[in-house]
Amino acid sequence: MTKAAAISGTKSESLPSAWRAEAVAEPAGTFARTFPSLGAAPVLFPHTAHRPVIVSRSQWGADETKRDPHAHYAQGVAAIFIHHTDTPNNYRCADVPRTLRNLYTGQTRDRNWGDLGYNFLVDKCGNIYEGRAGGTDRPVIGSHAIGFNQGTVGIAAIGTFGPGTPVPAAMERGIAALAAWKLGLRGVDPTSKVRLTSTNDKSRYTKGTSATFNAISGHRDGFATDCPGEALFARLPAIRHLAAHLQGRSAQTPFGADPAGDLAGPASGQ
């Protein structure tokens, strides 16, 4: 992952009022919208989750002239890959839009990915940001997991999470809420196993090889990398269980508190 410019300062600051829930215009989609081939009648699943508040690209200031104007779609989302951005951790959440714009420039100009590689990003306050364009409720193909971009969603934790680095609880809750919603659109259990087929020999698996992954996996599971960092990778079991709870699949919350109150809107900056 490319380094973004360092963001200093730890003073608390509220996010702009424009980022409140009522400003997020994109509605949650239905399974029928994502899979039009199934027909007009909606397909409902017993285990779904509420759509969390998502800060849109326009709200964090994405320059839409930099990206490929054509989004590409898979048939659905079967799995999530968790990443970290490998950027400094000492940022204020109110300053995250600047980090996103830096990442956006690096991944479009320097890496020639056509857009942000990640579908979504989550900051240490638990705020969720729209990454790659194309519709937050749709199965947009990203550039986040070589060999396994189709049918997966890339969620990047903003920061660097090497060994011994604390992973903020708010960040974990944000990741879990997003994963629960996206997987729930297809009825996927966040604690389940899924089979994915590699499309590129540069992944851990040769092109055409099918492999079993956790429905919420780390980038390193499919590619030779340390991403999402040792500390965040170790927290994936807890994130899976919280996501399952948010889908109504479990009676207990791993964090010892009702997570519903954490999904009302963006958190304040730190």
Side-chain angles (χ1 to χ4, degrees):
M1 306 299 170
T2 56
K3 296 278 186 180
I7 299 177
S8 61
T10 58
K11 181 180 178 181
S12 295
E13 182 174 329
S14 296
L15 290 172
S17 59
W19 292 14
R20 300 305 177 196
E22 59 268 21
V24 180
E26 285 194 328
T30 64
F31 187 81
R33 285 183 61 196
T34 304
F35 302 93
S37 61
L38 293 177
V43 179
L44 302 178
F45 293 96
H47 296 288
T48 57
H50 292 293
R51 179 190 188 274
V53 173
I54 300 170
V55 178
S56 71
R57 289 171 61 91
S58 63
Q59 288 170 319
W60 60 257
D63 180 352
E64 302 297 356
T65 65
K66 292 182 178 180
R67 67 174 176 87
D68 180 348
H70 304 291
H72 303 279
Y73 300 94
Q75 290 298 306
V77 172
I80 306 284
F81 279 106
I82 305 299
H83 306 258
H84 68 172
T85 57
D86 199 22
T87 52
N89 292 332
N90 63 333
Y91 59 86
R92 297 185 307 166
C93 292
D95 291 335
V96 165
R98 184 173 66 187
T99 296
L100 299 185
R101 292 191 293 270
N102 289 339
L103 288 169
Y104 182 39
T105 296
Q107 293 181 5
T108 53
R109 183 190 65 194
D110 303 333
R111 291 179 177 256
N112 198 31
W113 285 353
D115 198 348
L116 273 171
Y118 314 116
N119 298 96
F120 300 92
L121 301 95
V122 181
D123 70 21
K124 65 183 179 181
C125 295
N127 299 307
I128 300 169
Y129 303 84
E130 179 184 13
R132 200 171 189 87
T136 58
D137 61 329
R138 303 187 67 187
V140 179
I141 298 173
S143 298
H144 60 93
I146 192 167
F148 298 101
N149 286 310
Q150 293 207 26
T152 69
V153 166
I155 301 176
I158 299 174
T160 302
F161 297 96
T165 303
V167 181
M171 174 179 278
E172 291 187 27
R173 290 192 294 267
I175 292 171
L178 180 58
W181 172 61
K182 288 297 289 185
L183 292 176
L185 293 176
R186 197 181 182 188
V188 177
D189 183 343
T191 63
S192 68
K193 303 285 187 179
V194 298
R195 289 194 67 80
L196 303 174
T197 300
S198 175
T199 62
N200 196 302
D201 288 334
K202 293 181 180 180
S203 76
R204 286 191 181 275
Y205 302 90
T206 57
K207 183 178 180 179
T209 300
S210 292
T212 300
F213 292 85
N214 289 299
I216 300 178
S217 289
H219 186 194
R220 65 173 63 181
D221 291 318
F223 186 73
T225 177
D226 290 333
C227 183
E230 198 67 35
L232 181 53
F233 187 77
R235 296 301 301 164
L236 293 188
I239 290 171
R240 292 180 196 116
H241 286 293
L242 179 55
H245 172 82
L246 291 170
Q247 288 187 353
R249 296 179 184 272
S250 60
Q252 296 181 351
T253 305
F255 296 93
D258 182 358
D262 297 312
L263 307 182
S268 296
Q270 288 186 358

